[in-house]
Amino acid sequence: MTMYRLYAHPNSYSSWVAQVMLKELSLEYSLHNVDLFKGEQFEPDYLRLSPGGVVPALVVAGEDQHQESTTIIGLSEIRKHLAERCPDHSIFTGETERYLSKLEEAPVGLITFGLAFHKDYTKILRYPFHEPDFTEKSKKYVLERGNLLQNAIAQCDDPSITTSLLNAAEKHYQNAEHYLNPDKYSCALGSVSSLLDWFETDLAREGRIGIWLGGIQCNVADIVLGMLLHRIWQLGLENTMFKEGTRPHLTLFYDRIRERPTIKNVTQWDVTASLVNVIKSDEDMFADQAKMGLGVMALLGGLYLGKKFLKK
């Protein structure tokens, strides 16, 4: 059996989608973390695998010792490789390409890391974004990525890798403002909302066969949509995006897909659901400080009265 090595940022959306597909196909793989926050995607050894520092990357071992391994770069190419490897598997049957082309429009990385600059959009962050340093790590990743790219370019002596890094740097500088600018971040959330409208309409369509996008059987498009909804849930944006009466068909879809064993196994959502970070707005913090001030005043007043009583 061909052995796979998956290189991906820990707990990332693309890593989880790739892992779920590999598990659905019962393909053996090992997972190797490439921590974007630490700049590991620009280390020389990884750049030899993925010249632009792109994650995820899937290394396919040769069938025998005489055959060299190959590297598949990016989630879309990984999916295409697996579809060619297992064309008859149920996750690659049914109508998939139309749905996948829509899902590729979703700016998942932008709404994830950009939220660190616009935390007023959420009230709660769930695993793994519940960690206290997530906000600072995300801000540092966005703000320092340009410098990391420039350093990697300066130290690189391979023309093909340098070209890939230059392309990545150009793309980064084009997109950086979308993370920082409130209007552009709001526009990104709006594009996700419009995308979900499209899927809500499709799931509500009369005459559709089966409960999945793929029809009777769950396919790769269902997995990708499910993981997008899960990311929205992790970021605490679900109530405005697909819960609380908003897009009820997507709510039911998410409740079904998250129970799929492969998704439970990869995301561990059922055993990490209690790991949360409640985000307080400036108004909430002001109210807390006001309550604390009243508490201190009450305590001091009590001490004053107690002293007067003891003197008697």
Side-chain angles (χ1 to χ4, degrees):
M1 177 182 290
T2 300
M3 177 64 181
Y4 290 99
R5 301 198 312 271
L6 178 65
Y7 292 81
H9 180 62
N11 301 314
S12 69
Y13 163 82
S14 57
S15 167
W16 280 357
V17 172
Q19 287 184 75
V20 170
M21 288 192 293
L22 288 164
K23 287 183 178 295
E24 289 280 349
L25 299 171
S26 299
L27 295 175
E28 185 179 355
Y29 72 95
S30 60
L31 180 63
H32 303 262
N33 288 334
V34 180
D35 196 327
L36 300 182
F37 292 146
K38 295 179 180 178
E40 291 177 351
Q41 71 274 33
F42 299 126
E43 292 182 357
D45 286 345
Y46 187 71
L47 287 173
R48 281 189 280 272
L49 287 177
S50 178
V54 174
V55 292
L58 185 68
V59 176
V60 187
E63 295 291 342
D64 55 55
Q65 60 181 350
H66 303 294
Q67 187 177 4
E68 291 186 1
S69 61
T70 57
T71 304
I72 316 298
I73 300 171
L75 182 59
S76 179
E77 293 303 313
I78 290 172
R79 173 181 57 79
K80 291 175 183 177
H81 165 80
L82 295 177
E84 291 173 0
R85 167 84 189 267
C86 309
D88 298 324
H89 195 280
S90 61
I91 68 168
F92 296 121
T93 59
E95 188 178 6
T96 59
E97 291 306 319
R98 182 168 69 97
Y99 294 123
L100 289 169
S101 64
K102 295 292 292 184
L103 287 164
E104 286 177 356
E105 299 172 7
V108 180
L110 173 55
I111 67 169
T112 300
F113 298 121
L115 190 63
F117 299 93
H118 312 285
K119 290 171 67 176
D120 285 347
Y121 281 101
T122 187
K123 291 289 186 183
I124 188 170
L125 291 172
R126 299 183 176 93
Y127 172 86
F129 308 117
H130 71 292
E131 296 289 352
D133 60 352
F134 164 70
T135 296
E136 291 308 311
K137 279 185 175 181
S138 296
K139 287 182 177 180
K140 184 177 179 181
Y141 166 72
V142 173
L143 297 174
E144 295 186 3
R145 187 165 183 263
N147 290 334
L148 291 174
L149 277 161
Q150 290 179 24
N151 290 338
I153 291 168
Q155 296 171 14
C156 184
D157 55 6
D158 185 313
S160 63
I161 295 177
T162 300
T163 299
S164 295
L165 288 171
L166 285 168
N167 291 335
E170 182 180 1
K171 186 176 180 181
H172 166 73
Y173 288 118
Q174 288 174 348
N175 295 334
E177 187 184 2
H178 290 78
Y179 292 89
L180 307 176
N181 185 293
D183 292 334
K184 291 186 181 296
Y185 185 75
S186 177
C187 184
L189 291 178
S191 70
V192 174
S193 182
S194 297
L195 181 66
L196 295 185
D197 274 339
W198 190 89
F199 280 99
E200 175 71 15
T201 300
D202 188 88
L203 289 168
R205 175 168 45 89
E206 287 188 18
R208 77 168 358 268
I209 299 174
I211 60 175
W212 302 107
L213 296 176
I216 297 173
Q217 293 181 306
C218 177
N219 70 12
V220 66
D222 293 292
I223 291 169
V224 177
L225 175 58
M227 297 308 296
L228 172 61
L229 295 175
H230 187 67
R231 172 51 53 89
I232 291 168
W233 177 79
Q234 289 175 291
L235 298 176
L237 303 173
E238 73 279 7
N239 287 343
T240 56
M241 291 289 189
F242 66 90
K243 290 278 189 180
E244 301 296 324
T246 304
R247 304 184 179 98
H249 290 85
L250 280 175
T251 299
L252 292 173
F253 175 90
Y254 177 62
D255 290 343
R256 283 195 304 268
I257 194 77
R258 77 197 303 236
E259 293 295 334
R260 198 165 181 84
T262 52
I263 288 181
K264 267 189 174 182
N265 180 271
V266 170
T267 66
Q268 296 287 297
W269 69 261
D270 53 330
V271 296
T272 59
S274 62
L275 300 178
V276 300
N277 181 11
V278 177
I279 307 299
K280 293 186 176 181
S281 65
D282 292 340
E283 291 81 1
D284 292 333
M285 294 180 68
F286 178 80
D288 287 347
Q289 291 171 355
K291 289 177 183 177
M292 185 181 296
L294 290 173
V296 170
M297 289 175 64
L299 175 61
L300 292 175
L303 289 172
Y304 174 73
L305 291 174
K307 288 178 180 179
K308 285 186 67 176
F309 176 78
L310 290 171
K311 287 179 179 179
K312 292 181 179 179

